[in-house]
Amino acid sequence: MKYVSGYTLWLVIFFVIPLIIILSFSFLEKTPYGGVNFSFSLEGYKSLLTIGYLKVFWRTVWISIISTLITVLLALPAAYYIAKSKFKNLLLILVVIPFWTNSLIRIYAWIFVLGNNGIINQFLRFIGLIDSHIQFLYNPWAVILVLVYTYLPYAIIPLYASIERLDNSIFEAALDLGCSKRKAFFKVLIPNIKTGLITSIIFVLIPAMGSYAIPDLVGGVNSKMIGNEIARQLTTAKNWPAASAISSVLTLITLLGVILFVRNSKKEVLN
Amino acid sequence: MLGSNVEIKNISKFFGDFQALDNVSLQVKKGEFFSLLGPSGCGKTTLLRIIAGLEQPDSGDVLFDNKSVINIPANKREVNTIFQNYALFPHLTVFENVAFSLRLKKISETEIKERVGKLLYLVRLEEHKNKKPSQLSGGQRQRVAIARALANEPKVLLLDEPVSALDAKLRQELLVELDNLHDQVGITFIYVTHDQAEAISVSDHVAVMNNGKIVQTGTPYEIYESPANNFVATFIGETNLMKAEVRETNEEFVRVFAKGIGEFECYKDKEVKKGDKILLTLRPEKIKISSKPLEGLNSFHGIVEEEIYMGYQTKYFVKLDEGYILKIYKQHVNYLLDEKIIHWKDEVFVSWNPNDSFIIEVEEN
Amino acid sequence: MNPGKFSRLITFLILIFFYIPIAVVVLFSFNASKSPVWVGFSLLWYKELFTNSYSIWKAFWNSIIVAISASFVATALGAFGAIGLYWGKFKGKDYIWIISYLPLIIPDIIIGVSLLIFFVFIKLRLSLFTIFIAHVTFSLPYALMIVFSRLQDFEYSIIEAAYDLGATEEIALFKVIIPISFPGILAAFFMSLTLSIDDFVITFFVAGPGSTTLPLKIYSMIRFGISPTINAISTLMLAGTIVISVFMRKYLKYIF
């Protein structure tokens, strides 16, 4: 027990208590320059029910779900190919390098390529096809593109790990029993890598739901997500109860999502 | 002798609601090779861990040389264990694994070298002393575990299924080695196994355990030849069990009637009277199979239902006229090709000496 | 079953997708012009970076100081935590696992916001120290799980063997458990370093004036628009990443 105490104490003080604090602050009154008055109020939550906020919530959800879907659908064949490839060590390194690369650099790379002064626009201007620029960025699809780019390695790695662990003979058995390759993929592979699949979905969906830097840098006014709104309430608007309320709702949504998702998948596995 | 005698007194142990050991008592003599034999879950490993000090009993006592050691923690008890998976330290070389306990005692480097050298010689691993456990074969790992456990010069060595992880042939070799080692070091060995052949072949005494209790203690010979009950008879070796009813008794023998067989005589090793229901055991290798009945023996007619040729012996399953199926193991003492061989569906006679069938359980009438 | 043409195609498209933008960034870090039109090879922007970018280097050293100190503390606490969870038998283990998994499930921005409010609430001035606390906090669960997964490679009997051979608790800890978990401890340390150097969102909230880290600096530079200096920093960081990835390969199995 004594060995765990430092670890536990640290997490309780700097993780659990701050979470409890924002949850409690979300029920308090705001003061004009940041901070809270210690009297009960539901103003923080009431402001969430405006049309503007509901739109941001809805946008966050659909952008995250679409990004996750694209990411996992791309990751699945890639993870499978890498796990079965003769060059799997090399391919794995090639996937891991972007994983370790600073995320801001990866966002910057896209701004550099697609930005209003990026190389594509410069090139098009250079050959005289356009006068000013084509705006590739600053819309929800740019956010989705960069989310997929950023989180694809996060999805490939757990899927790779669970496919690699599988005994190859189960595929051989499936083929031997007359299964087509496509059927074997869906009837044998997918059910056996459920944990990897869940992990990779969680690894993509959660950071996407809470993303701040990507919509901030490549999204426009019409593609702000919850993360940006939390930051705005905290810094510019100085409305701590509102920031706390949005944070609490976001935490609740992700936690409930994860719990329901994991529980349902477990049930399916058991059935 | 360097070993201790070990006495287990009324040990009980619960894991939650499950009673792993139920009032177990046991005596192990100084320097003997003692086996705890039983199916998995019978409590034998728990008992071993209690002797090692790795587990505390709920009640009862453990004595080494008549002194209680129950309050001495594992790291101070003069007993060492060979774990089932060997539990070698993967980060240390063979030499350092063996030297582990000596280094804790602040012994001089020269003495450590000498003592570890001797132990590695004993288990024939001198050439491998600088290897890591991961570079060794299963048999070599086991020998490192032995040397490491002996380095401390324990008075009792505990062995928890030490050969079960190895393949059958290697198992036999290592068993013989263990036996030789025991003769050389002379300390008390307590050996846990679920394999009756292992226990019988190396032990001085065997305790058979089932459901947390000791069912029978004795020499391998006693345990095999006169099992105390149904469980021991079937767990140790193979046997034919027969339910029968007593018809007549005299000084030495009982005349019984068994459904599916008929009337025959068996040895009276338990006091019975007419009308008692009894359970008899008859080892398959004690039965003779022939084309004619044999005089002076219990002899019955039947048909060979199944014949399994094993090289050194043949196993027959003979269905008697009344319906009982008898297992018979025939050793091939003669050159087989010269003999008239008994085959599937042949009509045969099976015969056994009344001495070889005896009573293991009695249900009084 | 060998993978079909489809999965091969996808894999190669993904790799192209991964590397084209990065390659372009690297290429243009050697461009002689300020605008992203190739005019010729030059080390101009590296010279600029090494001689004329005081604030970038200040941010770089801030990042290094935080990363090393936070990784040390997180690895030590996490490793002992893992050892305790592996070794000990006590009630409440489940709760420790829950508070270990929560930070991995909850979005980073929530951790950043809650720590910011916490620091302001307890009147702790925002500085490198608050960044250090935040980085230890988000690295801890990773460190714990990496070391724990290494320990799980061993059966518990190895500790019993140490006791059986006369070891006390301290000896079992220092001569057996810490040495066998060492590859995991090393992996945990590198993982913490990488997480710390990479983190932008949490640091963004808990950084105060004068405590800018490299990602914060890069962020503010990106907001000003594209600049070849960013390309040069990116190239250098990428080179660092590749070196670390190759080095880390050995320890990857404890991370995933």
Side-chain angles (χ1 to χ4, degrees):
Chain A
M1 186 65 205
K2 62 186 169 192
Y3 297 115
V4 198
S5 50
Y7 172 87
T8 313
L9 208 63
W10 187 291
L11 277 186
V12 167
I13 295 176
F14 296 115
F15 175 69
V16 178
I17 291 181
L19 277 187
I20 294 172
I21 288 179
I22 56 165
L23 187 65
S24 353
F25 276 22
S26 69
F27 294 105
L28 296 178
E29 254 174 28
K30 69 166 187 169
T31 59
Y33 306 107
V36 285
N37 266 335
F38 285 90
S39 54
F40 181 80
S41 157
L42 284 175
E43 281 305 313
Y45 287 97
K46 270 187 193 154
S47 59
L48 298 188
L49 291 174
T50 58
I51 293 294
Y53 267 110
L54 292 177
K55 261 186 173 167
V56 174
F57 261 101
W58 169 237
R59 188 187 300 140
T60 305
V61 169
W62 77 255
I63 287 182
S64 305
I65 290 179
I66 289 184
S67 312
T68 309
L69 225 75
I70 298 174
T71 308
V72 174
L73 285 180
L74 288 174
L76 203 54
Y80 182 69
Y81 180 75
I82 295 171
K84 302 288 166 203
S85 166
K86 269 180 272 178
F87 308 106
K88 67 175 166 193
N89 284 330
L90 175 72
L91 290 171
L92 202 60
I93 277 282
L94 287 176
V95 171
V96 167
I97 287 170
F99 177 78
W100 292 124
T101 306
N102 190 294
S103 49
L104 286 173
I105 291 177
R106 284 187 283 162
I107 301 172
Y108 174 71
W110 283 105
I111 298 177
F112 189 76
V113 173
L114 295 179
N116 293 347
N117 286 312
I119 54 163
I120 291 182
N121 272 313
Q122 292 283 0
F123 178 73
L124 294 178
R125 246 185 320 228
F126 180 74
I127 58 168
L129 216 66
I130 51 169
D131 294 331
S132 123
H133 63 258
I134 301 172
Q135 181 145 313
F136 295 109
L137 297 178
Y138 315 117
N139 60 61
W141 295 101
V143 175
I144 290 174
L145 171 78
V146 181
L147 279 173
V148 171
Y149 183 69
T150 305
Y151 295 113
L152 197 47
Y154 290 66
I156 293 178
I157 290 162
L159 281 173
Y160 161 82
S162 59
I163 294 173
E164 220 255 331
R165 237 169 292 175
L166 277 187
D167 187 353
N168 202 33
S169 56
I170 66 164
F171 298 112
E172 283 160 6
L175 295 182
D176 185 57
L177 293 168
C179 219
S180 70
K181 271 196 180 187
R182 185 186 304 265
K183 261 195 181 154
F185 189 85
F186 288 105
K187 298 252 171 192
V188 179
L189 181 71
I190 301 288
N192 278 300
I193 55 163
K194 231 159 199 164
T195 341
L197 210 55
I198 293 168
T199 315
S200 64
I201 290 172
I202 290 175
F203 274 14
V204 181
L205 190 62
I206 286 171
M209 291 281 292
S211 52
Y212 169 76
I214 294 172
D216 189 62
L217 292 171
V218 302
V221 260
N222 64 342
S223 38
K224 291 276 174 263
M225 293 169 70
I226 297 183
N228 308 95
E229 207 41 56
I230 295 175
R232 194 182 68 82
Q233 288 293 355
L234 204 62
T235 52
T236 356
K238 302 267 182 226
N239 187 342
W240 284 25
S244 301
I246 311 171
S247 303
S248 303
V249 171
L250 179 58
T251 309
L252 211 69
I253 291 176
T254 45
L255 279 187
L256 278 180
V258 169
I259 291 168
L260 284 179
F261 187 59
V262 171
R263 186 171 291 169
N264 272 341
S265 330
K266 262 194 192 152
K267 252 187 222 155
E268 260 175 55
V269 172
L270 286 180
N271 288 344
Chain B
M1 284 278 187
L2 306 154
S4 286
N5 64 46
V6 177
E7 193 177 351
I8 310 291
K9 268 189 178 163
N10 310 99
I11 293 242
S12 289
K13 173 78 183 173
F14 283 87
F15 293 110
D17 287 337
F18 174 73
Q19 184 161 21
L21 291 172
D22 182 5
N23 200 24
V24 169
S25 296
L26 195 63
Q27 293 222 1
V28 181
K29 287 201 204 91
K30 199 175 268 222
E32 79 171 330
F33 199 129
F34 192 94
S35 288
L36 293 169
L37 171 66
S40 64
C42 73
K44 58 192 191 300
T45 297
T46 307
L47 185 58
L48 195 80
R49 289 168 59 81
I50 287 171
I51 301 172
L54 295 169
E55 204 88 63
Q56 278 295 312
D58 295 328
S59 61
D61 203 353
V62 177
L63 299 94
F64 289 178
D65 291 330
N66 310 317
K67 277 187 276 296
S68 170
V69 294
I70 204 75
N71 292 319
I72 300 176
N75 51 7
K76 301 253 164 58
R77 267 189 216 185
E78 286 182 296
V79 44
N80 285 110
T81 309
I82 292 167
F83 291 85
Q84 188 168 8
N85 53 21
Y86 313 140
L88 298 180
F89 304 126
H91 61 297
L92 299 178
T93 60
V94 168
F95 183 95
E96 287 302 324
N97 260 288
V98 178
F100 188 86
S101 58
L102 301 178
R103 292 220 185 278
L104 298 179
K105 284 183 176 164
K106 309 237 161 26
I107 292 171
S108 77
E109 193 59 36
T110 34
E111 200 188 331
I112 288 179
K113 267 203 177 130
E114 192 195 314
R115 282 172 66 177
V116 174
K118 266 188 193 162
L119 286 160
L120 290 178
Y121 172 78
L122 190 71
V123 296
R124 297 181 288 108
L125 281 173
E126 299 126 302
E127 295 155 42
H128 304 289
K129 67 176 180 186
N130 292 322
K131 287 190 183 163
K132 292 273 178 74
S134 58
Q135 295 166 288
L136 301 177
S137 70
Q140 288 168 336
R141 278 180 215 181
Q142 195 237 21
R143 299 210 300 265
V144 179
I146 295 173
R148 185 179 71 174
L150 291 176
N152 227 358
E153 297 184 338
K155 294 192 165 161
V156 180
L157 185 69
L158 306 177
L159 303 98
D160 186 5
E161 309 235 7
V163 296
S164 65
L166 306 170
D167 62 66
K169 216 164 184 179
L170 199 57
R171 214 180 297 171
Q172 270 310 313
E173 270 175 50
L174 282 163
L175 224 48
V176 174
E177 263 179 48
L178 270 180
D179 201 15
N180 291 336
L181 193 77
H182 174 250
D183 293 343
Q184 285 175 58
V185 296
I187 61 174
T188 312
F189 276 33
I190 300 179
Y191 185 98
V192 157
T193 180
H194 68 274
D195 185 320
Q196 41 97 12
E198 278 174 26
I200 285 180
S201 59
V202 291
S203 318
D204 297 312
H205 282 95
V206 179
V208 184
M209 292 183 72
N210 191 29
N211 294 332
K213 287 190 181 124
I214 291 184
V215 196
Q216 187 177 8
T217 312
T219 60
Y221 176 80
E222 287 164 348
I223 297 234
Y224 184 81
E225 296 291 339
S226 48
N229 62 21
N230 182 356
F231 172 78
V232 181
T234 44
F235 188 70
I236 317 282
E238 300 214 28
T239 196
N240 293 293
L241 285 177
M242 307 160 174
K243 279 183 191 157
E245 196 188 307
V246 177
R247 286 277 156 94
E248 257 174 71
T249 62
N250 63 30
E251 287 278 296
E252 225 183 321
F253 294 98
V254 201
R255 192 148 185 90
V256 300
F257 171 78
K259 203 171 168 240
I261 304 172
E263 249 186 50
F264 59 92
E265 284 195 330
C266 78
Y267 185 70
K268 189 173 106 183
D269 62 342
K270 285 192 167 68
E271 215 37 66
V272 288
K273 58 185 187 304
K274 195 173 172 201
D276 284 351
K277 298 254 192 299
I278 58 170
L279 194 67
L280 298 167
T281 173
L282 172 61
R283 296 285 186 194
E285 73 276 10
K286 315 256 169 173
I287 307 171
K288 295 171 184 65
I289 182 164
S290 52
S291 37
K292 289 189 183 96
L294 300 178
E295 282 300 310
L297 303 176
N298 294 319
S299 209
F300 292 95
H301 178 260
I303 291 171
V304 177
E305 277 258 301
E306 192 105 45
E307 174 208 7
I308 305 165
Y309 178 69
M310 311 269 295
Y312 64 102
Q313 63 170 208
T314 300
K315 296 185 176 184
Y316 294 102
F317 293 79
V318 173
K319 188 171 187 181
L320 303 184
D321 292 349
E322 300 292 320
Y324 188 89
I325 296 175
L326 206 57
K327 260 182 280 187
I328 299 152
Y329 298 167
K330 181 178 159 64
Q331 295 296 323
H332 301 311
V333 273
N334 296 323
Y335 189 57
L336 251 180
L337 298 180
D338 292 346
E339 213 176 303
K340 182 181 177 300
I341 305 168
I342 293 161
H343 280 306
W344 184 56
K345 293 289 178 203
D346 280 357
E347 291 199 19
V348 291
F349 284 90
V350 292
S351 322
W352 69 92
N353 191 321
N355 275 324
D356 291 327
S357 53
F358 54 87
I359 306 164
I360 47 177
E361 274 167 30
V362 182
E363 189 187 313
E364 276 181 50
N365 187 11
Chain C
M1 187 168 90
N2 290 321
K5 288 196 182 100
F6 175 72
S7 47
R8 189 170 64 200
L9 180 71
I10 295 281
T11 309
F12 286 105
L13 288 179
I14 284 175
L15 289 178
I16 290 167
F17 175 58
F18 275 165
Y19 284 96
I20 287 256
I22 299 180
V24 169
V25 167
V26 171
L27 179 71
F28 279 83
S29 75
F30 298 105
N31 191 7
S33 158
K34 196 169 169 61
S35 81
V37 178
W38 184 259
V39 288
F41 180 84
S42 144
L43 289 174
L44 187 69
W45 307 109
Y46 291 91
K47 199 177 151 206
E48 170 86 11
L49 183 63
F50 279 100
T51 55
N52 205 10
S53 313
Y54 170 76
S55 59
I56 294 175
W57 287 102
K58 174 112 177 29
F60 172 75
W61 287 115
N62 279 344
S63 271
I64 295 291
I65 292 166
V66 169
I68 290 177
S69 55
S71 303
F72 257 111
V73 174
T75 307
L77 290 177
F80 273 110
I83 289 169
L85 285 176
Y86 175 76
W87 196 353
K89 292 186 178 80
F90 54 88
K91 280 182 186 156
K93 266 191 188 176
D94 287 354
Y95 295 102
I96 294 177
W97 280 117
I98 289 174
I99 63 165
S100 301
Y101 274 110
L102 273 184
L104 307 182
I105 297 175
I106 289 177
D108 282 355
I109 191 166
I110 305 291
I111 299 177
V113 169
S114 63
L115 272 173
L116 168 65
I117 290 180
F118 175 72
F119 290 141
V120 174
F121 185 61
I122 63 165
K123 300 202 166 58
L124 189 62
R125 207 171 53 82
L126 299 180
S127 63
L128 276 190
F129 182 62
T130 49
I131 300 178
F132 159 81
I133 290 178
H135 285 207
V136 173
T137 308
F138 68 68
S139 302
L140 265 182
Y142 290 95
L144 176 105
M145 282 170 200
I146 291 168
V147 177
F148 191 80
S149 104
R150 165 73 184 176
L151 279 168
Q152 274 188 317
D153 285 354
F154 302 99
E155 291 197 48
Y156 189 77
S157 60
I158 194 166
I159 294 171
E160 294 185 330
Y163 274 122
D164 186 63
L165 292 165
T168 57
E169 189 180 327
E170 286 88 71
I171 288 169
L173 179 68
F174 287 107
K175 297 260 169 172
V176 179
I177 297 174
I178 291 181
I180 61 169
S181 39
F182 198 71
I185 293 175
L186 217 57
F189 183 76
F190 281 114
M191 183 77 187
S192 306
L193 271 186
T194 320
L195 288 172
S196 170
I197 289 176
D198 190 52
D199 180 69
F200 164 71
V201 176
I202 297 174
T203 316
F204 176 76
F205 287 99
V206 298
S211 60
T212 301
T213 61
L214 193 54
L216 292 189
K217 179 69 194 167
I218 294 173
Y219 173 74
S220 64
M221 289 168 78
I222 296 174
R223 298 218 76 171
F224 274 109
I226 57 179
S227 128
T229 320
I230 310 178
N231 292 46
I233 306 175
S234 304
T235 306
L236 291 178
M237 287 182 77
L238 203 68
T241 306
I242 293 171
V243 170
I244 291 178
S245 311
V246 171
F247 179 71
M248 285 280 293
R249 204 166 54 147
K250 213 171 116 185
Y251 302 105
L252 271 181
K253 62 172 177 162
Y254 303 116
I255 294 176
F256 303 113

